Amino acid sequence: MPTLWLVASLLLLAVAGFVVGRQRALSTAGGDAKELHSLPSYYGHNVAFTTLVPALGALAIWLLVQPMFIESRVSKMIPDEMAPDRPTLGLVMSDVRRVAEGLDIAVARGALSADDARSLRTEFTDVRGRLGEVGVALGADVRPEVLRAAQRYRVMSKTGNRMMGIVIGVLAIVGFAWSYMQTHKDFRARNVVEKGVLSLLILAASLAILTTIGIVLSMFFETINFFKLHNASDFFLGGTWAPNFRGDSELSILPLLWGTLYISFIALLVAVPVGLFAAIYLSEYANNAVRSFAKPLLEILAGIPTIVYGLFALLTVGPLLVNTFGKGGALGVEWMAGATSVLTAGVVMGIMLIPFVSSLSDDIINAVPQSMRDGSLGLGATKSETIRQVVMPAALPGIVGAILLAASRAIGETMIVVMGAGAIAKFSANPLESMTTITTRIVSQLTGDTDFASPETLVAFALGLTLFVLTLGLNVLALYIVRKYREQYE
Amino acid sequence: MNDMQFTDRAVEQKETKIAAKDVNVHYGEAHAIKDVNVEIEDKTVTAFIGPSGCGKSTFLRCLNRMNDTIDVCSVTGNILLDGEDIYDKRVDPVQLRAKVGMVFQKPNPFPKSIYDNVAYGPRIHGLAKSKAELDEIVESALRRGAIWEEVKDRLDKPGTGLSGGQQQRLCIARAVATEPEVLLMDEPCSALDPIATAQVEELIDELRERYSVVIVTHSMQQAARVSQKTAFFHLGTLVEFGHTGQIFTNPEDPRTEAYITGRIG
Amino acid sequence: MSDTSKTSLLALTPRTKARNAAEKRFRAYGIAAIAVGLMMLIVLVTNIIGKGTGAFQQTFVTLNVELLESKLDKKGNRDLDDIKKVTTFGYNPLIRGAMEAKLAEIGIETDMKGKDLEGILSKGAVGQLREYVTTNPDKIGETVEFRFLAQSRVDGYLKGRVTRESIENDKAISVEQLELVDQLVDAGVIVKTFNADFILGADASDQRPEAAGIGVAMLGSLSMMLVVLALALPIGVAASIYLEEFAPKNRLTDIIEVNISNLAAVPSIVFGILGLAVFINYMHLPTSAPLVGGLVLTLMTLPTIIISTRASLKAVPPSIRDAALGVGASKMQSVFHHVLPLAAPGILTGTIIGLAQALGETAPLLLIGMVGFIASNPPETLVDGLLAPNSAMPAQIYEWAKRADPAFYERAWGGIIILLVFLVTMNTLAVILRRRFERRW
């Protein structure tokens, strides 16, 4: 790990910078800290930061750019007939990387000398065999172009890494020297350091935006690639989801959307009444003892990981439902074939959402001013009349917001549907049938052997983007409603 | 404004509506009301005055058992409404509150239309047999609340859209609509501007014709303007109770005098 | 005045009775809702405990194996290379012999052939034997006592999962073998006992559920948590300090704030897609590496940490800041010297809760390849732990749940118990921290 060593030596240099910067400041002031503009440690921090921050920033950028640069240079070596389009090129390039990696390992283990690795030719050596000996398995025989590209790739990465070391090192030393020269008793070290810290804070805060941009971009480009290979109107408006490997897959989102919405609907059907009534009871009726006992217990349900709910759906609720509605079951009907179904996933997801709905509604109901309740009780209304006719209408917008948030949770939930809903994409109104959802298909299209040149894989990004837009829309709407609601009573 | 302008004071004795005997109220550890005895007359405005925290609001809330909604609050002693103990086990507070209505410090119209605000009480108590009858009740309540002329064209608009003074008169109309016998008012004008206050005070004087009105106020001028009887509370005890004119001009207890002349408060 | 004054307060009107009944019903709905919620919790917990505790016990067969020189070291020179040439296949006769000897010793007569006798043991027994011999070649020729895993059907039989009826079409075990197992249990040769290997061991192939453990996946989770802690805590705190203390009120700040609250609600699978696209496809970080998992979980946990950190910064009263500024501290000094230390317990609590969330998260791990293989080698160094392919606890549980053999289901539930023990510990710690250091201003 040359990068790791680089970072370690940068850190060491920074520590040294702190010590010498502090000492120099003190010595310019004749050893009297009162003579300094800032506290001595600020001078130390100044040197340390100036050494470390630009170097680390450059390192990060370098690590991002170098692979891109090398990739574009090396991919020019691949003849057009081998890679007629971008996706195929991507596949060839991943071969190139694997061969390069294999050569690295072979050199590291001593199976090849560094020179051999550079001059290896497919015409004379069985590269696949040689690499196989050191434990690098290659799918097919190595073509000469790929081998040459891989060798070039290795050379370029090596030079790149060496240059990176030099540039970063120089940058750090220049920063060190410059800030050391600056250090003087009248230098406003604190102001400079604080400005530096502030910009680091801003950087951290903008990471949230970077993440969002990253999410959108990472899905956006692959989605565009997908639409180049697959008809957009079929994706959005078609009625069938049937991926296959013959190249004529029907990939449309509507059946998946139907499954997603159906399951979410059932989940809300379970979670909303239970959660809402629980919230009403806890906030309006329960005394402190009951409240402090039941509320945390209910919230445990929210802290349980979704994998647990998934397992619960797959191994407990599903079989239970089959034993009730399936062949030879308690009801003597034969409505259910397998354990996975819309109902299985929906019910379990509903259980998961109960505390989500209840704690959100609890907050909302508590925000309704007490004067409203007093007004109603003072007129001789019973508690339940007050709740139904005054508190609930007043809290309605907030509760709608809470339900929308819960719906967005349900739509984006993955593990429960992966394990409990099934894999068959279809339009059906029967909740005992197995159906599939957007998230389930994302998982199945992106796990196992993925080929980023095929629409069957790329469709996952289009699905992901749709899911993102859908849940984002729901969240924004819900947060807007809740915020407006709170403002009303503030 | 003339501070000591007393309302016309008929000194004839009226029948007792509410009689409190040895009432004590505890909030958990705190002893909020100590041995209060008072007789509130029918068709009279009775004012509770006193410095803040003296227990006047607490005592008011005992009269329709609004304190029941607070867990830690306990009331002992007897409060009789027309001779019946309202803290009797057999009494349903819901039925009691229909007879003893309440108007609060801050106007608190429900987030519903003006019409529904007023119709709320009659509906839950089943006072109207038909829509026409309900319309009639709402109209007469709004008239008695002296707000009918201002809102008759916008009965379906939300009550929260009215001005503060209008909201408070709406709340009074809402309380009146359930045909109560007693109206409790907890500082009904403290959140209002002077003009709205004057309107509400005028209304209170009119309400006296039909109801027994009990008003808590920290404004002595207001008590003097609207009430016939005044009770002065201090540190949880009822210090003095009597005709308003007498309390303000010739108090018996030195504490009352100190309060009225502004030395405690 | 009105006729209502005629009615006595002491008698309930029919309408009041009806309304009170409605009140009782409404209240009952509330109680029912709470009861449903709590019942679900109870069902879930009893279900997990009922099905999972079995995984912590395992059936073992104790045999005395004579390490025959004639089979293991024909040349008799104890040369390790020669000994290693004997494949696991060559160890089968030893086990068979040991089994027969044991039966003779305790006087059980059976007409079962050697292969059926061996079938009672795990398929890994020969490997265990070979491993022992290659590390202790000097023991060849002696008789050594071994504790072998019983195969999963035998284990299931002792745990009640497998019955004589359920194995009718099962090729892996026969009724005769179960009869023999009964006799061996009576003789104390087969014992069900606590199995530390489930907690500490590695996953095993889908042929040997009896040998699978969650230990390696636990290390994978631990590595991820280290990454999350090292990145999410400093970045989250820095971002919160900026937003809460320094950020001017303008559009950009508004956008960042809305962004953070929305990121907190983005489905976790979307973060998985991000991780796949950016860290693996673009940056070519190794697939299945805990480092990548940690990075993805960091991005996921950041909003949680930022939100809770901001809440605890906000809880520090402005008077503290004013006091620091009043004695001539800079804004930065007032924040770092006074506000941050006072908010630290709250930040820590939020971080622990965020970590607990990340620990249980599964969906994004599926996309960056932390499932679908057997996590069998514990990493040896920290770098290895971060970069070598590994699984994580929830991913391992998912992996087991997907395998066809019901013996793995028990392990999946057992894995959940371990996962929940971690989560409960972390959350309890958070609650204790909050109780202990919570300051009311």
Side-chain angles (χ1 to χ4, degrees):
Chain A
M1 281 308 286
T3 322
L4 212 64
W5 282 113
L6 197 58
V7 172
S9 36
L10 284 181
L11 285 176
L12 215 64
L13 196 62
V15 172
F18 178 83
V19 176
V20 296
R22 193 172 177 279
Q23 266 166 5
R24 182 180 162 100
L26 273 176
S27 67
T28 54
D32 183 6
K34 278 188 200 148
E35 289 286 305
L36 292 172
H37 168 268
S38 316
L39 291 173
S41 63
Y42 278 106
Y43 295 91
H45 280 131
N46 179 40
V47 178
F49 280 160
T50 329
T51 311
L52 198 59
V53 174
L56 277 184
L59 179 66
I61 294 171
W62 193 293
L63 284 176
L64 284 177
V65 173
Q66 178 177 313
M68 259 206 303
F69 177 76
I70 295 181
E71 196 105 326
S72 73
R73 294 295 291 272
V74 170
S75 63
K76 289 203 186 97
M77 297 174 61
I78 306 290
D80 280 349
E81 68 271 13
M82 239 181 110
D85 51 17
R86 254 207 52 161
T88 335
L89 182 65
L91 278 183
V92 175
M93 282 309 295
S94 72
D95 270 353
V96 170
R97 278 194 299 274
R98 205 170 308 146
V99 171
E101 216 172 276
L103 290 175
D104 281 342
I105 294 175
V107 173
R109 300 230 176 124
L112 281 174
S113 73
D115 286 337
D116 282 351
R118 224 167 292 137
S119 57
L120 218 55
R121 284 288 170 270
T122 45
E123 292 81 0
F124 312 119
T125 322
D126 172 19
V127 178
R128 187 183 173 199
R130 289 289 290 271
L131 293 183
E133 282 166 26
V134 290
V136 181
L138 293 177
D141 263 332
V142 181
R143 301 188 47 167
E145 294 88 344
V146 171
L147 180 64
R148 236 167 291 135
Q151 285 161 339
R152 175 109 179 102
Y153 186 91
R154 277 193 68 218
V155 172
M156 284 183 74
S157 322
K158 202 166 239 168
T159 348
N161 284 343
R162 201 172 300 140
M163 268 171 60
M164 175 175 82
I166 294 168
V167 170
I168 304 297
V170 167
L171 208 59
I173 290 166
V174 167
F176 185 102
W178 185 64
S179 55
Y180 182 73
M181 303 300 281
Q182 262 192 327
T183 305
H184 182 264
K185 74 179 170 65
D186 293 328
F187 179 60
R188 299 176 161 227
R190 184 177 56 75
N191 306 40
V192 174
V193 168
E194 285 186 353
K195 223 172 249 168
V197 170
L198 188 64
S199 43
L200 286 182
L201 295 183
I202 294 176
L203 198 70
S206 46
L207 191 72
I209 290 195
L210 274 180
T211 308
T212 311
I213 295 174
I215 286 175
V216 173
L217 288 188
S218 66
M219 292 190 294
F220 189 71
F221 286 119
E222 300 290 10
T223 304
I224 287 182
N225 284 342
F226 169 68
F227 285 134
K228 278 182 194 152
L229 298 170
H230 193 89
N231 195 341
S233 70
D234 177 58
F235 176 73
F236 286 114
L237 301 171
T240 326
W241 172 270
N244 61 43
F245 296 104
R246 292 186 305 274
D248 56 346
S249 304
E250 289 184 82
L251 303 166
S252 65
I253 193 172
L254 288 183
L256 309 184
L257 195 62
W258 167 249
T260 307
L261 294 180
Y262 197 2
I263 291 173
S264 307
F265 174 72
I266 290 187
L268 291 181
L269 220 53
V270 173
V272 171
V274 177
L276 200 55
F277 268 107
I280 288 173
Y281 187 81
L282 286 178
S283 59
E284 301 285 333
Y285 286 104
N287 57 28
N288 265 337
V290 173
R291 210 178 140 86
S292 60
F293 160 79
K295 210 172 139 76
L297 276 185
L298 271 186
E299 272 162 16
I300 290 181
L301 280 177
I304 293 177
T306 53
I307 176 80
V308 180
Y309 285 106
L311 206 63
F312 188 59
L314 178 70
L315 298 181
T316 306
V317 176
L320 191 78
L321 288 176
V322 172
N323 285 340
T324 315
F325 297 108
K327 195 177 176 183
L331 293 185
V333 290
E334 205 177 315
W335 293 341
M336 207 169 162
T340 55
S341 74
V342 169
L343 194 63
T344 313
V347 166
V348 173
M349 202 189 280
I351 298 174
M352 179 190 82
L353 290 178
I354 289 173
F356 192 74
V357 174
S358 79
S359 65
L360 277 176
S361 317
D362 196 17
D363 291 351
I364 303 271
I365 292 173
N366 280 330
V368 174
Q370 183 61 30
S371 69
M372 214 71 100
R373 292 183 187 86
D374 283 348
S376 173
L377 294 172
L379 289 171
T382 62
K383 244 179 166 166
S384 64
E385 284 161 351
T386 304
I387 295 163
R388 273 184 289 140
Q389 300 184 28
V390 176
V391 178
M392 278 300 124
L396 194 64
I399 288 176
V400 168
I403 293 174
L404 287 183
L405 282 180
S408 137
R409 261 287 182 86
I411 289 172
E413 171 50 42
T414 308
M415 291 322 291
I416 295 176
V417 286
V418 164
M419 297 170 89
I424 305 155
K426 64 180 156 206
F427 293 101
S428 162
N430 182 357
L432 296 173
E433 275 183 58
S434 151
M435 274 178 230
T436 199
T437 69
I438 297 178
T439 48
T440 331
R441 288 310 94 192
I442 293 176
V443 170
S444 75
Q445 300 312 104
L446 286 181
T447 48
D449 290 325
T450 50
D451 163 11
F452 281 86
S454 73
E456 287 76 28
T457 299
L458 291 175
V459 69
F461 292 93
L463 291 176
L465 196 60
T466 318
L467 180 71
F468 178 71
V469 171
L470 204 62
T471 50
L472 189 72
L474 275 177
N475 287 331
V476 171
L477 184 65
L479 290 179
Y480 174 78
I481 293 177
V482 171
R483 191 190 276 196
K484 275 271 162 264
Y485 167 77
R486 286 196 188 285
E487 279 169 7
Q488 183 191 336
Y489 291 119
E490 260 165 17
Chain B
M1 200 188 289
N2 183 356
D3 280 353
M4 294 292 149
Q5 172 199 60
F6 299 118
T7 43
D8 171 38
R9 204 143 275 119
V11 192
E12 100 249 37
Q13 193 65 39
K14 289 184 177 145
E15 59 180 290
T16 301
K17 191 69 189 172
I18 299 175
K21 285 179 194 141
D22 301 329
V23 175
N24 280 281
V25 180
H26 290 84
Y27 278 110
E29 295 289 297
H31 196 173
I33 297 285
K34 297 162 193 161
D35 295 322
V36 168
N37 290 283
V38 71
E39 290 193 349
I40 290 164
E41 293 165 5
D42 201 7
K43 299 194 176 25
T44 309
V45 177
T46 307
F48 290 175
I49 59 168
S52 40
C54 66
K56 53 194 192 301
S57 283
T58 304
F59 184 66
L60 186 79
R61 289 168 69 95
C62 290
L63 300 183
N64 72 343
R65 293 182 59 175
M66 278 301 278
N67 283 334
D68 288 17
T69 57
I70 299 162
D71 287 338
V72 293
C73 181
S74 69
V75 180
T76 58
N78 293 318
I79 298 176
L80 306 178
L81 174 68
D82 289 332
E84 290 174 327
D85 185 0
I86 64 168
Y87 279 90
D88 190 288
K89 268 207 269 322
R90 286 167 294 172
V91 171
D92 193 304
V94 164
Q95 239 168 281
L96 168 70
R97 288 176 202 147
K99 284 189 174 193
V100 184
M102 189 153 191
V103 176
F104 297 85
Q105 190 168 0
K106 225 177 120 213
N108 56 352
F110 303 138
K112 298 166 177 281
S113 71
I114 293 171
Y115 182 93
D116 285 337
N117 258 287
V118 180
Y120 179 76
R123 274 189 184 133
I124 57 175
H125 293 296
L127 298 183
K129 285 170 191 69
S130 64
K131 175 81 172 84
E133 211 176 321
L134 188 60
D135 288 348
E136 222 170 276
I137 293 175
V138 169
E139 181 178 340
S140 76
L142 286 170
R143 279 186 196 283
R144 267 184 259 160
I147 193 180
W148 170 253
E149 292 302 324
E150 291 158 67
V151 300
K152 66 180 178 195
D153 300 325
R154 44 169 174 159
L155 290 176
D156 54 342
K157 294 280 175 340
T160 42
L162 298 171
S163 74
Q166 287 174 322
Q167 285 191 6
Q168 193 60 302
R169 278 179 286 147
L170 175 65
C171 290
I172 294 173
R174 188 175 70 185
V176 165
T178 54
E179 295 291 340
E181 295 161 30
V182 181
L183 257 185
L184 308 178
M185 298 188 171
D186 191 355
E187 304 194 19
C189 301
S190 66
L192 304 184
D193 60 55
I195 293 172
T197 303
Q199 286 170 327
V200 171
E201 283 178 2
E202 202 174 316
L203 172 59
I204 292 171
D205 201 45
E206 285 165 23
L207 292 172
R208 177 161 67 98
E209 287 171 23
R210 306 179 56 128
Y211 312 102
S212 166
V213 178
V214 184
I215 175 171
V216 163
T217 175
H218 56 225
S219 149
M220 284 175 283
Q221 294 89 327
Q222 185 170 58
R225 284 194 299 266
V226 301
S227 71
Q228 288 80 49
K229 287 294 213 43
T230 297
F232 172 62
F233 285 81
H234 185 54
L235 299 176
T237 53
L238 177 63
V239 175
E240 194 169 351
F241 178 56
H243 288 288
T244 303
Q246 183 231 320
I247 294 266
F248 279 96
T249 50
N250 189 18
E252 283 172 8
D253 195 286
R255 283 172 293 174
T256 316
E257 195 187 349
Y259 180 66
I260 287 168
T261 52
R263 268 180 280 147
I264 49 175
Chain C
M1 139 218 120
S2 61
D3 20 321
T4 46
S5 60
K6 304 287 184 294
T7 59
S8 164
L9 274 176
L10 300 175
L12 292 184
T13 62
R15 189 176 172 86
T16 312
K17 280 182 192 154
R19 285 169 63 198
N20 283 345
E23 169 76 20
K24 278 213 183 80
R25 275 199 303 278
F26 191 76
R27 217 183 143 101
Y29 297 149
I31 296 178
I34 304 258
V36 167
L38 295 184
M39 211 181 67
M40 289 305 165
L41 182 66
I42 294 170
V43 167
L44 203 58
V45 170
T46 47
N47 194 37
I48 292 168
I49 293 175
K51 291 182 174 173
T53 38
F56 295 90
Q57 290 204 318
Q58 204 62 41
T59 308
F60 292 95
V61 186
T62 313
L63 292 178
N64 297 316
V65 182
E66 190 184 356
L67 303 173
L68 293 169
E69 188 169 14
S70 58
K71 297 273 183 195
L72 303 179
D73 190 15
K74 285 182 184 132
K75 292 180 190 155
N77 56 7
R78 297 290 185 274
D79 180 357
L80 203 55
D81 285 337
D82 284 339
I83 296 172
K84 277 189 177 162
K85 278 183 188 141
V86 183
T87 59
T88 51
F89 197 68
Y91 287 81
N92 275 328
L94 299 186
I95 290 188
R96 206 172 296 167
M99 198 75 179
E100 279 160 359
K102 186 57 116 183
L103 291 183
E105 179 194 327
I106 52 180
I108 296 174
E109 298 210 355
T110 175
D111 40 321
M112 267 191 284
K113 291 281 183 303
K115 207 163 174 66
D116 290 335
L117 292 180
E118 265 170 61
I120 289 174
L121 298 185
S122 163
K123 288 195 172 69
V126 279
Q128 185 189 343
L129 201 56
R130 183 171 181 270
E131 172 82 26
Y132 179 83
V133 171
T134 48
T135 43
N136 305 296
D138 51 313
K139 295 275 187 189
I140 291 177
E142 293 173 29
T143 300
V144 182
E145 190 184 85
F146 282 94
R147 204 174 72 140
F148 295 115
L149 282 164
Q151 71 132 305
S152 70
R153 297 296 197 288
V154 173
D155 181 52
Y157 177 63
L158 262 68
K159 287 172 181 165
R161 185 178 65 239
V162 174
T163 60
R164 284 180 171 72
E165 292 76 46
S166 74
I167 56 160
E168 258 173 45
N169 299 317
D170 197 333
K171 287 198 187 97
I173 198 152
S174 64
V175 175
E176 292 76 40
Q177 281 175 313
L178 290 187
E179 303 284 349
L180 183 62
V181 167
D182 278 337
Q183 289 174 306
L184 288 172
V185 170
D186 289 340
V189 176
I190 293 184
V191 207
K192 193 175 75 176
T193 165
F194 176 71
N195 177 24
D197 279 346
F198 173 64
I199 303 171
L200 303 172
D203 192 14
S205 75
D206 58 356
Q207 297 300 308
R208 294 186 293 124
E210 64 274 6
I214 202 167
V216 175
M218 214 186 281
L219 285 177
S221 279
L222 182 73
S223 320
M224 292 200 306
M225 290 307 110
L226 284 181
V227 175
V228 175
L229 189 64
L231 292 177
L233 181 60
I235 296 177
V237 171
S240 316
I241 289 180
Y242 177 71
L243 291 175
E244 201 57 47
E245 306 284 341
F246 294 100
K249 282 269 158 272
N250 59 22
R251 278 192 73 113
L252 185 68
T253 319
D254 273 357
I255 291 175
I256 295 183
E257 297 204 5
V258 171
N259 212 310
I260 289 172
S261 53
N262 281 323
L263 267 187
V266 168
S268 57
I269 184 97
V270 171
F271 284 95
I273 299 180
L274 172 76
L276 176 67
V278 173
F279 298 129
I280 293 182
N281 281 355
Y282 179 72
M283 293 190 195
H284 302 303
L285 291 175
T287 316
S288 317
L291 175 67
V292 180
L295 289 174
V296 171
L297 293 180
T298 300
L299 294 182
M300 252 187 69
T301 322
L302 256 183
T304 318
I305 292 187
I306 292 181
I307 288 169
S308 69
T309 303
R310 290 190 63 182
S312 29
L313 288 176
K314 207 176 277 176
V316 177
S319 59
I320 301 277
R321 297 173 181 81
D322 294 344
L325 294 178
V327 295
S330 69
K331 177 92 184 156
M332 192 71 77
Q333 284 170 326
S334 86
V335 170
F336 278 91
H337 295 171
H338 300 281
V339 179
L340 198 56
L342 287 172
I347 296 173
L348 210 57
T349 311
T351 308
I352 294 175
I353 289 171
L355 276 183
Q357 244 176 39
L359 185 65
E361 192 55 65
T362 323
L365 305 185
L366 304 186
L367 298 194
I368 54 167
M370 297 193 82
V371 289
F373 62 96
I374 296 163
S376 51
N377 302 314
E380 276 149 19
T381 62
L382 183 64
V383 175
D384 208 19
L386 290 177
L387 294 175
N390 199 339
S391 189
M393 276 196 280
Q396 181 72 69
I397 293 167
Y398 173 69
E399 182 64 30
W400 283 337
K402 275 200 318 184
R403 291 182 189 169
D405 192 334
F408 277 112
Y409 296 164
E410 179 192 77
R411 301 196 114 63
W413 289 112
I416 279 179
I417 293 182
I418 295 182
L419 182 64
L420 289 183
V421 165
F422 274 99
L423 294 184
V424 168
T425 315
M426 289 166 88
N427 281 300
T428 316
L429 194 66
V431 170
I432 292 173
L433 270 177
R434 187 180 298 159
R435 291 250 168 93
R436 185 95 191 262
F437 294 104
E438 193 177 49
R439 206 187 282 248
R440 295 222 170 269
W441 302 96

